[in-house]
Amino acid sequence: MNSWVQKRDLFVIVGVSGDLANRKLLPALYRLSHDVPSESRFRILGVSTDPACSDNTFREKSQKSVKELAGVDLDSAWLDETLFFQSIGQGGPEDYRALVQRVESLEKSESLTGNRVFYLALPPPVFPVAITRLGEAELNEGPGWTRLVIEKPFGRDAASAESLNKLVHQYFDEKQVFRIDHYLGKETVANLLVFRFANSLFEPLWNRDRVDSVEILVAESLGVEHRGRYYDRAGALRDMIQNHLTQLLTLTAMEPPSSFDADAIQHEKVKVLHSISPIGPGDVVFGQYARGEVDGKPVTGYRQEPDVAPDSRTETFVAMRLRINNWRWQGVPFYLRTGKRLADRVSRIVVNFRCPPVSLFQPFVFSALRPNTLEITIQPDEGFDLRFEVKSPGVPFRLVTQNLHFRYSEAFQKSPEAYETLLLDVLLGDTTQFVRDDWVEASWRLYTPILEVPPQVAPYPAGSWGPKEADRLTSLPELDSATAATP
Ligand code: BG6
């Protein structure tokens, strides 16, 4: 039984009829609480604009959709005891006043703690109005603590992220705000801090003296699926780079925090963003998938996907080179690469160490000496591989690459899903694995100039590793400290 959730708090999901709630949130809340006795379990109030929904029809609908979308069977007793519904009609002030009444009456009838989570599982254009209505209805504070959870994307560029933060802070203190990036809920991502700072082995090597380059790859073999309407306005830079890949980057590059406290960690992550040099047009390649083959099956090009403009110039692939202009990383390129409809699904951080200074074995090595590498695989097949050279037995004298490897699946049982971890953290009030206001703004500031003047979009066949133009990034000469400017 999960003892952490044995409190009768209230979890309000605004936008409960959407994909996210049914695919991720309800299954995660179910997993967290189904073996907790009803008398010590939280309650969930689903909120949507559907006027014709009662508690019972909502339970039936949720049971069906969660089964369909997530393959999870919600137990009927759990549903009856845990799940309630409130319509907010057109989302006007009077609808939110009715929501206040429902929250208060549930807290009374169900003997709840008065602690409240408001989870905005809404399309981003609706965030401002929902935040304003919650604030105006004074749902920003209650008898216990109140927390606000906001899904990504948080803003579309620097200006919109700043104005959304301003609005949030009009009603909520930053300590109440939990901005979601589901990558931070993945066990392998959370483990980056432990790997770096609970071991003394790697930290002395983790710098410009020993590291040649760092690659961060998040490749997907899926296309945009049914999300063309959203994706065609977003693109890979907004959808993946600004949030998920940049989170991986800041966790990989940050300095040791002064403690394992959320603010101390966030502080070091933000410092990395402030040290990144402005990204020039020559540092970025955009691509868009054309027709091709994935897993041996023909697939359509991006422009033929539903709800995508036939002449769309939205990027489905981004490769870029970043420079972190600080004492640890100056001169070490960080390569970020992500795309849809690539050859495989894999998320990985690769640290390429420098080659030995003298090539003692040159006569016996027929190709270039391979550097040591550390591969941290985020998904699938989560784990680490440390590659090094050994002499193969006998003659002729030969070097071969071998690796030390660790796999989560061999060492542990199944890890919890990212949303389970994150929702539990919200209930516990731990903001370590969420996105702080200054991080989100600094990240958008870094990428906004590229969004304003985007590079040409190069086509690539679905099922490949992206446009070949991306390969030129790795062969660019490095800038020295005198020419690498800070923003
Ligand atoms: C989401 C993006 O945030 O992350 C999607 O909007 C993307 O486009 C997804 O497919 C990838 O997440 P994961 O966990 O499958 O790597």
Side-chain angles (χ1 to χ4, degrees):
M1 182 194 305
N2 197 331
S3 59
W4 299 105
V5 290
Q6 292 193 57
K7 276 180 91 189
R8 293 171 71 84
D9 300 334
L10 181 64
F11 212 100
V12 182
I13 304 178
V14 186
V16 76
S17 49
D19 205 63
L20 175 72
N22 288 292
R23 202 182 282 275
K24 297 288 184 191
L25 305 184
L26 290 173
L29 288 168
Y30 177 70
R31 279 193 211 100
L32 280 173
S33 71
H34 73 277
D35 55 357
V36 175
S38 170
E39 61 276 11
S40 37
R41 186 191 304 148
F42 55 67
R43 298 294 187 258
I44 304 167
L45 178 62
V47 172
S48 85
T49 51
D50 187 348
C53 211
S54 66
D55 286 345
N56 278 337
T57 46
F58 169 57
R59 289 171 187 143
E60 280 162 26
K61 267 190 187 173
S62 302
Q63 195 170 34
K64 214 164 140 238
S65 334
V66 169
K67 173 84 186 149
E68 216 171 276
L69 294 171
V72 175
D73 277 315
L74 301 181
D75 174 67
S76 300
W78 180 88
L79 280 165
D80 291 345
E81 291 155 0
T82 319
L83 214 53
F84 300 85
F85 179 80
Q86 173 70 27
S87 169
I88 44 159
Q90 295 307 305
E94 65 293 352
D95 298 310
Y96 275 78
R97 278 196 290 277
L99 175 61
V100 176
Q101 280 171 11
R102 186 70 206 271
V103 166
E104 288 172 352
S105 80
L106 258 184
E107 283 175 343
K108 215 161 166 201
S109 63
E110 297 292 307
S111 311
L112 305 185
T113 55
N115 297 331
R116 302 166 181 170
V117 176
F118 290 93
Y119 196 119
L120 304 188
L122 295 166
V126 198
F127 289 161
V129 72
I131 293 164
T132 309
R133 295 274 182 266
L134 286 173
E136 286 171 350
E138 296 181 4
L139 282 167
N140 50 341
E141 40 191 48
W145 49 251
T146 298
R147 294 178 185 145
L148 176 72
V149 188
I150 310 179
E151 263 296 326
K152 77 164 258 277
F154 192 92
R156 283 184 55 74
D157 53 21
S160 54
E162 278 164 31
S163 80
L164 190 54
N165 269 335
K166 225 185 231 161
L167 177 68
V168 168
H169 292 150
Q170 214 174 306
Y171 301 106
F172 295 88
D173 187 83
E174 181 62 20
K175 293 260 171 299
Q176 295 177 273
V177 184
F178 292 69
R179 294 177 197 77
I180 293 260
D181 181 318
H182 79 276
Y183 264 57
L184 295 176
K186 292 183 192 274
E187 284 291 329
T188 35
V189 176
N191 187 50
L192 279 171
L193 285 181
V194 176
F195 177 75
R196 285 193 56 199
F197 303 127
N199 298 298
S200 58
L201 188 61
F202 298 105
E203 210 43 30
L205 309 178
W206 214 256
N207 57 53
R208 65 194 302 269
D209 295 332
R210 297 284 175 262
V211 175
D212 181 72
S213 62
V214 178
E215 298 164 41
I216 299 177
L217 167 74
V218 178
E220 298 183 88
S221 52
L222 288 178
V224 288
E225 309 294 291
H226 57 285
R227 298 166 70 227
R229 198 182 308 276
Y230 150 76
Y231 195 90
D232 209 34
R233 288 197 66 233
L237 188 66
R238 287 192 172 93
D239 187 50
M240 298 293 288
I241 296 267
Q242 179 273 329
N243 35 70
H244 306 326
L245 279 89
T246 305
Q247 286 291 349
L248 298 180
L249 168 79
T250 51
L251 286 167
T252 306
M254 67 188 264
E255 294 298 318
S258 58
S259 68
F260 197 55
D261 167 76
D263 263 338
I265 295 169
Q266 303 282 7
H267 184 63
E268 294 304 334
K269 287 168 65 181
V270 171
K271 270 168 60 189
V272 174
L273 294 176
H274 288 163
S275 305
I276 297 178
S277 300
I279 308 165
D283 293 325
V284 189
V285 173
F286 273 10
Q288 187 186 74
Y289 65 83
R291 184 176 308 126
E293 235 180 54
V294 172
D295 292 333
K297 292 196 193 99
V299 294
T300 65
Y302 175 70
R303 291 178 180 185
Q304 289 77 49
E305 299 279 16
D307 300 320
V308 168
D311 57 351
S312 169
R313 296 174 45 73
T314 299
E315 79 287 359
T316 61
F317 171 97
V318 178
M320 66 167 63
R321 186 177 75 148
L322 296 178
R323 287 178 225 96
I324 303 176
N325 200 25
N326 63 15
W327 276 54
R328 186 187 282 261
W329 294 117
Q330 197 284 322
V332 179
F334 279 69
Y335 300 107
L336 271 50
R337 189 182 271 243
T338 186
K340 294 210 180 277
R341 282 281 188 238
L342 295 182
D344 206 353
R345 174 178 184 252
V346 59
S347 300
R348 182 176 287 156
I349 300 167
V350 183
V351 180
N352 296 306
F353 292 96
R354 291 193 187 283
C355 284
V358 176
S359 200
L360 202 58
F361 304 105
Q362 197 58 45
F364 311 105
V365 182
F366 303 109
S367 56
L369 197 62
R370 282 169 295 257
N372 297 130
T373 60
L374 172 69
E375 276 187 21
I376 304 171
T377 304
I378 310 291
Q379 64 191 19
D381 201 19
E382 293 83 353
F384 303 145
D385 293 88
L386 182 61
R387 297 191 200 285
F388 53 92
E389 299 299 289
V390 297
K391 176 187 172 301
S392 74
V395 284
F397 191 100
R398 274 234 184 120
L399 302 191
V400 291
T401 306
Q402 291 293 303
N403 71 339
L404 281 172
H405 91 276
F406 154 75
R407 284 288 167 277
Y408 272 81
S409 56
E410 290 166 15
F412 304 108
Q413 291 182 337
K414 208 171 167 295
S415 304
E417 285 236 348
Y419 273 95
E420 243 172 277
T421 307
L422 294 175
L423 294 179
L424 185 53
D425 280 349
V426 172
L427 290 169
L428 296 175
D430 183 352
T431 54
T432 313
Q433 305 189 80
F434 294 83
V435 185
R436 206 171 64 180
D437 51 354
D438 50 350
W439 190 101
V440 79
E441 289 182 17
S443 169
W444 277 119
R445 273 200 296 275
L446 188 62
Y447 299 118
T448 297
I450 309 171
L451 292 166
E452 284 168 352
V453 189
Q456 293 283 329
V457 181
Y460 61 93
S464 68
W465 283 108
K468 52 185 182 317
E469 286 82 344
D471 298 337
R472 79 172 161 77
L473 292 180
T474 46
S475 55
L476 291 175
E478 267 316 303
L479 294 182
D480 61 26
S481 53
T483 49
T486 43

